[in-house]
Amino acid sequence: MAKTTKRRRGPQQTAKVELDVPVRVGQTVEVEITGLNHEGAGVGRIEGYTLFVDGALAGERVHARVDHVKKNFGFAKLTKVSIASTFRSQPPCPLYDRCGGCSLQHLAYEEQLRHKQQIVRDNLRRIGGFQVEGDGAITVHPTLGMSEPWRYRNKAQVPIGEENGALVGGFYAEKSHSIIDMHECLIQHQKNDEAVATVKKAATDLGIKPYDEVRGSGLLRHVVVKVGVKTGEVMVVLVTTEETIPQRDKLVEAIRTEVAGVTSIVQNINPDKTNVIFGKKTVTLWGSDVIYDYIGAIKFAISARSFYQVNPAQTEVLYNKTLEYAGATGTETVIDAYCGIGTISLFLAQKSKHVYGVEIVPEAIEDANRNAKLNGVENATFEAGPAEVVIPAWKEQGIRADVIVVDPPRKGCDEALLTTILEMQPERVVYVSCNPSTLARDLKVLAEKYEVREVQPVDMFPHTGHVESVALLVYKGFGYAETTFGAILNHPFF
């Protein structure tokens, strides 16, 4: 065993802590890769010690340099592939090895989809304790992917810096705040690239200084671009430290002239020393306050700060699956917890008697009501507040949900909400998740009264390690013998 020394700093002294592990920082090791973790790093073992190797693939034998060690696992960088996987692919992005944004470009896309299915299965088994193979197992379907998994992002959030007197903008290098200047990103809509390039050049020409987060000086912090994929409308948001922009009219004119389809130019003022992108104040410099886009037949107004899914094509796939699992026939009452700006709610309203949406962010509820009005939807009610408070209040008012849909953030559902669902006992629960581990954790709680029938992974973010899923849960009190969703719909209850 090699002993690696780490320094643990206390308030008054520095202590040396020796880790009894078989590798040391800076050492180059040869290791066989047996799998991938949820972030897409290769998983290998040396004398039983787990080593995560960025850039390595399952089935490969590689050389890697150890960068960091902990008691039970360590991290390493790939230096050489001795035996390559048949699924290894040449990343088309020239910044791939520096950016860190698309950690799976080196893995063939079809294998990415299989990997994401396996990630969901592994979490359900390991964290949820569910059976995923054999009789009585949860069905985890193959991941629904894209026919063209490039240029899918409709939003760019680009930090701005300076290099040799010119503005640069791009993504941060992995695990740093060093900006990598980017001329194009292969997962961004092309209009995003065009708009960012236009702002960088115009701001450089006009002498507008970027924000320096170390010194706390400068003006332009971020450029945010949003694209309505189906409408072609473009919004450009300039995030600044102050309200006054030198030669503002010339900057606006340059954006209007050079960016095709631009209908909205907005300024957001964020004077705080923070990593949060947006500040509290937003003003429209030119054009509309919003742009519009469609998911399926539903039209959405998108403001500078409103949340909107970044991959609308796959969002439609995800929401159609949610609608299918909800089993709505036009007679059901549906509650949509974590409803946001009403995206899922308005989808569900197409085939439901009434949809009640709850969201803790008041501004999102304002957007939800506006989007309902925009689409002429009258069978949707939205209320701001914690779901675990609002939903029981609705119950006291006599509102009984046939279906509850949850689409929580990465941390999963609030424990109180899970308790509320178990108490309300809707016939079905549809759980939309962006985090397989918290999905498995929450399904384990709901399994007290619900049978988890099936889970459908959806690839919302190709070439990254992220995977969305939608799960169907049916209340055990019905005593159904059928095991397929089709059988549920054919049951006399429906």
Side-chain angles (χ1 to χ4, degrees), residues 364-382:
I365 292 297
E366 292 175 10
D367 285 340
N369 282 313
R370 177 169 58 183
N371 287 323
K373 185 176 181 180
L374 184 65
N375 289 277
V377 174
E378 298 180 351
N379 62 331
T381 300
F382 299 101

Side-chain angles (χ1 to χ4, degrees), residues 480 482 486-494:
Y480 292 166
E482 295 87 345
I488 295 171
L489 294 183
N490 290 328
H491 193 277
F493 176 84
F494 295 96

Side-chain angles (χ1 to χ4, degrees), residues 122-284:
D122 289 346
N123 277 276
L124 288 172
R125 176 179 47 79
R126 181 173 53 85
I127 297 174
F130 294 103
Q131 187 176 342
V132 294
E133 294 179 355
D135 294 337
I138 298 174
T139 299
V140 181
H141 296 287
T143 308
L144 297 175
M146 302 186 72
S147 58
E148 180 51 55
W150 301 100
R151 295 291 187 182
Y152 59 84
R153 288 187 63 95
N154 60 10
K155 180 178 75 171
Q157 296 183 154
V158 178
I160 300 298
E162 187 174 23
E163 190 174 290
N164 299 324
L167 266 63
V168 296
F171 295 117
Y172 290 122
E174 188 177 7
K175 300 175 183 177
S176 81
H177 268 211
S178 175
I179 298 173
I180 298 174
D181 194 26
M182 175 188 65
H183 301 292
E184 68 169 351
C185 173
L186 299 182
I187 64 171
Q188 294 281 356
H189 194 288
Q190 287 176 316
K191 288 186 178 181
N192 290 341
D193 290 338
E194 294 169 6
V196 171
T198 295
V199 174
K200 286 193 298 184
K201 182 179 185 306
T204 298
D205 292 344
L206 295 170
I208 296 172
K209 290 297 182 181
Y211 175 66
D212 185 322
E213 66 178 1
V214 176
R215 296 184 176 89
S217 62
L219 179 69
L220 186 58
R221 302 177 71 126
H222 282 80
V223 176
V224 179
V225 186
K226 297 187 175 188
V227 177
V229 174
K230 291 190 177 180
T231 63
E233 297 178 356
V234 178
M235 171 184 285
V236 177
V237 185
L238 308 172
V239 183
T240 61
T241 56
E242 301 175 11
E243 189 162 350
T244 301
I245 301 177
Q247 304 194 71
R248 185 191 71 180
D249 292 345
K250 290 184 178 180
L251 178 59
V252 168
E253 182 60 28
I255 297 170
R256 289 180 58 189
T257 302
E258 299 296 329
V259 181
V262 66
T263 58
S264 174
I265 303 175
V266 175
Q267 179 188 9
N268 176 267
I269 299 95
N270 182 1
D272 299 330
K273 194 167 185 178
T274 174
N275 289 331
V276 176
I277 294 177
F278 287 112
K280 296 178 180 179
K281 186 175 182 179
T282 302
V283 295
T284 300

Side-chain angles (χ1 to χ4, degrees), residues 89-96 102 104-107 112 149-150 184 186-187 463:
S89 179
Q90 179 62 36
C93 176
L95 298 178
Y96 169 73
C102 301
L104 290 179
Q105 274 193 35
H106 61 294
L107 180 61
Q112 289 183 33
W150 301 100
E184 68 169 351
L186 299 182
I187 64 171
H463 311 296

